[in-house]
Amino acid sequence: MSKRHITTTVNQESTEFLCESQQTLLNVLRDELGLIGTKEGCGSGDCGACTVLLNNKPVCSCLVLAVEAEGQQIETIEGVASGDELHPIQQKILEHAALQCGICTPGIIIAAKALIEENPNPTEQEIRYWLAGNLCRCTGYDKIIRAVMDAAKVMREDAA
Amino acid sequence: MKTTFSSVGTSPIRPDGIDKVTGRAEFGADRYLPGMLVGKVLRSPHAHARILSIDTSAALAINGVKAIVTGDDFADIPEGTVIPGEMELDVCDLAKNIIARDKALYHGHPLAAVAAISEAIAEQALNAISVEYEILQPVLNLEQAVAPNAPLLNEQLFTVGLPDKPTKPSNVASIKQLAFGDVEAAFSQAHTVIEDIFTTPTVHQGYIEPQAVTASCNRDGKASVWCCTQGPFAVRALSALVLDWPLGKIKVTPSEIGGGFGGKTTVYLEPIAIKLSQLANRPVRMVLTRDEVFRATGPTSATQIQLKLAADANGTLLAGQAILKYESGAFKGSPVMPGMMCIFAPYQIAAFDITGHDILVNKPKAASYRAPGAPAAAFAMESMMDRLAIELAIDPIELRLKNAACEGSRAPYGIKFPPIGLVETLQAAKQHPHYSAPLEPNQGRGIASGFWFNIGFQSTATVNINEDGTVSVVTGSPDIGGSRASMALMAAEELGVDYETIEPLVGDTESAGYSDITGGSRTTFATGMAVIKACQEVIEQLCNRATKLWQIDRDHVYFSEGSVCTKADINGDKQSLSIPAFAQLAAKTGGPISGRCSINAQGAGAGFATHICDVEVDPETGKLDVIRYTAIQDAGKAVHPAYVEGQLQGGAVQGIGWALNEAYCFDDQGRMENPSFLDYRIPVALDLPMIDTVIVEVPNPSHPYGVRGVGETPIVPPLAAVANAVRAATDIRFRDLPLSPPRVLAAINQKEAF
């Protein structure tokens, strides 16, 4: 079967790629577009390591077909920082030592960014529910939750 | 020993941090090479079967298939080929685990592998390989393994450690014993004797990054291997053994590693990828699926521990008897020995008798998992300490304090403890507000302590002063949880320079000197010690250069805060040269400035912890919620306290998962039924409270800064801490993990579990 031609926007850049109908968005991001920051931990939507934003909503890119990206807005971890300036979530993850191995970190950052955009002042419990689909085996989540709360606070102050 | 610090003990941002939060860090699956092929493994659908034939001809004929290997393509290693040493290695078993020869021994055992131009073609090729089996009855638990007419996994395996050499083969690989004193006399005279049996299921390390490798063989027969591993030198050595290649033909570059917890200390894919690349003459990338990770990479043993304790009326332990039976999986080598050595290690017990059985079953071969063998042993022992405290009406912390191992007391495995911190962690627990906080109905509080040896072993570090005065620190220890930050902190401390001027690097097997695996909680201790000593060599070189430059005696200069200085009384004036100044003078003073240290570090210093856990039980569903948790541990000296806290929190949560949810489920044919994160449920964020930590510092006299390893001990106490809390909440003693809602609910409904 011939490949499909897809036109989409990735990290605010207009992007075209060819894909097979059964290819996942994760597969295309990594193998075709070289965006290796999006990780595969399970391929079945259980771990959240491949989380990207599809029209500002967090999705497991292993569960999205690449052809579904046609005409949509995709944001990956590579698009979160502005040039040299880290996003407050990235900065707070670092300051709180909220990563150990770092494989879940891109997915956590993407998911947390979507949370704070939707709810600028999340409680600990709200963060725990929102991030329940992003597995981390190293940290026990404590420092991740604190980092997200702290980042939300900084973003509220910046917005004020 | 150094006791005042300027860099060590602070928690700066890790040197590799920005790459990790921006998606630039390259992990195992992230190395793409031109012309790269996709490698996939064909796995046994049977837990126990004789392989009669494998026909790959149809698969090879598929357009786009570039190479296929089976066990026949690898060196034929005779049964019983063992490399002795601190970590004894059976090369024959290793080779057969990587790719089966005559028998498939677990559901998922590799039989063949293909390299093809796409994943779809690789999958098509796997389906086209035809295998003839003689299906055998699987052995799926300890009971089945030792039954009189049990099917044998290995007809050439005879139990080691029996008084008389056995005449018949067995699934019991070894029976070992540690004993001291007169146990029977103590049991017959003691005020209180308690006995029980505890079990734990097969569980997995659960690293989020599946094993991945990219291998590329060039036409000279040299292989470059990129992979996520805890030990690049181990990958090189083990791959060379399995392939029967000279060591020098393989170069291993460790990628960033997405978790390991012991599970990435051995090899599964690397020799296969190398062989496929050699045959196809193209690079080959292989990445395991999550299903393959569960079915075919090392879980840790299911265990059964029978434990008997004797105590006097005051709670002093008089004797302990333990029989530990650990499943090793398809090949011998469960962590039963460390379990035996750990079970009584936190306490002074006058007499003990510990027996350990290493037993084969048709499950994946057990691999190391954080403090291998210790969590199950501590689950049994700490549950029994809890019971003893209740029976004697003694506070559980007081009972532990009364019996606690301390400096000078003797561990069951023979050594006399140097300064250790168990008593300090117990005292910190007693004083912690958590211990006296009120509880609501259906809530309970549990206490448990834990022990792990920690190891030293071999490390190399090179410290190079760069032309601009910055400092490169090269080691061969993969950074699995922030070790580059601790290497940089120790180098900054020793050289008296800013942390930011240090560039720590994890080298490959040809650019870094030999280092053993990142495991055994050894990296900050042993590789850190090598870094400190390499810095000391740099300092000595700088002092010697200064004496020549200034034409004064060596004992008239000293090194302080990053500079070589003259002592003030030399001719009344004082000179100094900083490291950046030396960097500029390097050519004129003898060439590049570089220090190196290779050590076999001794005196790792045991790690002790005490955890406090509160749970709330829903009596209608049996669901447990951990509502408060405090992990207290002796770190000797915390080099980067935030990452030490992270180890305590992460280890505690892995242990909580083990206690509450995690278990392999097999059907009656030995097929794993839950090989996904949906069905094998590791803790998620909403399952947990914040994990409070207290770092106790009892310096380790064998390290220049007093450091002890901290990575493994935190997973030892939680199993019992949770179970003891559930006992307090329900008045039911649970002896079998996991404490899943159906099990808890059934016990609540019956109230007869003990």
Side-chain angles (χ1 to χ4, degrees), chain B residues 398-469:
Chain B
E398 290 303 330
L399 179 70
R400 288 172 173 81
L401 278 168
K402 188 184 283 285
N403 293 288
C406 58
E407 182 177 0
S409 74
R410 196 172 282 282
Y413 54 96
I415 68 144
K416 258 192 183 171
F417 281 120
I420 52 173
L422 175 59
V423 167
E424 287 77 359
T425 67
L426 286 163
Q427 284 167 342
K430 202 164 107 183
Q431 288 154 15
H432 196 282
H434 182 174
Y435 193 57
S436 50
L439 290 165
E440 304 286 321
N442 294 320
Q443 296 179 352
R445 177 165 299 140
I447 289 285
S449 294
F451 158 84
W452 183 249
F453 315 88
N454 300 327
I455 59 170
F457 291 3
Q458 302 176 86
S459 284
T460 302
T462 307
V463 173
N464 298 316
I465 306 300
N466 298 322
E467 302 94 296
D468 61 354

Side-chain angles (χ1 to χ4, degrees), chain A residues 30-31 39 90 137 141 143, chain B residues 21 30 32 205 645 683:
Chain A
R30 290 180 52 85
D31 293 1
K39 303 302 180 189
Q90 294 172 312
R137 190 59 157 174
Y141 304 102
K143 293 184 188 303
Chain B
V21 298
D30 296 341
Y32 293 75
Q205 296 85 352
E645 290 169 9

Side-chain angles (χ1 to χ4, degrees), chain A:
Chain A
M1 197 166 61
S2 62
K3 289 192 172 185
R4 301 277 297 270
H5 176 255
I6 303 297
T7 305
T8 184
T9 305
V10 180
N11 299 328
Q12 299 180 2
E13 290 171 9
S14 154
T15 304
E16 294 174 58
F17 59 81
L18 296 176
C19 70
E20 290 164 9
S21 333
Q22 80 278 12
Q23 262 184 300
T24 64
L25 178 58
L26 170 63
N27 186 272
V28 164
L29 288 172
R30 290 180 52 85
D31 293 1
E32 313 294 334
L33 302 179
L35 295 169
I36 57 154
T38 303
K39 303 302 180 189
E40 177 163 3
C42 69
S44 55
D46 298 316
C47 80
C50 67
T51 306
V52 300
L53 298 183
L54 178 62
N55 300 330
N56 296 318
K57 295 284 181 200
V59 294
C60 287
S61 58
C62 71
L63 298 183
V64 175
L65 289 171
V67 293
E68 295 180 79
E70 175 69 39
Q72 313 297 311
Q73 302 275 335
I74 311 288
E75 183 176 340
T76 70
I77 186 66
E78 287 88 351
V80 173
S82 317
D84 284 345
E85 197 182 336
L86 295 180
H87 187 280
I89 298 171
Q90 294 172 312
Q91 184 63 33
K92 290 301 174 187
I93 291 270
L94 291 177
E95 288 175 13
H96 284 263
L99 74 162
Q100 283 175 34
C101 79
I103 194 84
C104 72
T105 308
I108 297 255
I109 289 169
I110 290 282
K113 181 168 182 277
L115 167 64
I116 297 173
E117 277 164 15
E118 187 172 303
N119 175 2
N121 192 6
T123 63
E124 179 191 337
Q125 194 69 353
E126 285 168 339
I127 298 171
R128 288 187 180 279
Y129 270 78
W130 188 276
L131 293 182
N134 291 85
L135 300 181
C136 169
R137 190 59 157 174
C138 294
T139 65
Y141 304 102
D142 181 301
K143 293 184 188 303
I144 293 173
I145 306 295
R146 290 179 200 276
V148 174
M149 291 176 86
D150 199 6
K153 180 163 170 272
V154 167
M155 289 168 71
R156 286 196 304 277
E157 287 164 2
D158 286 352

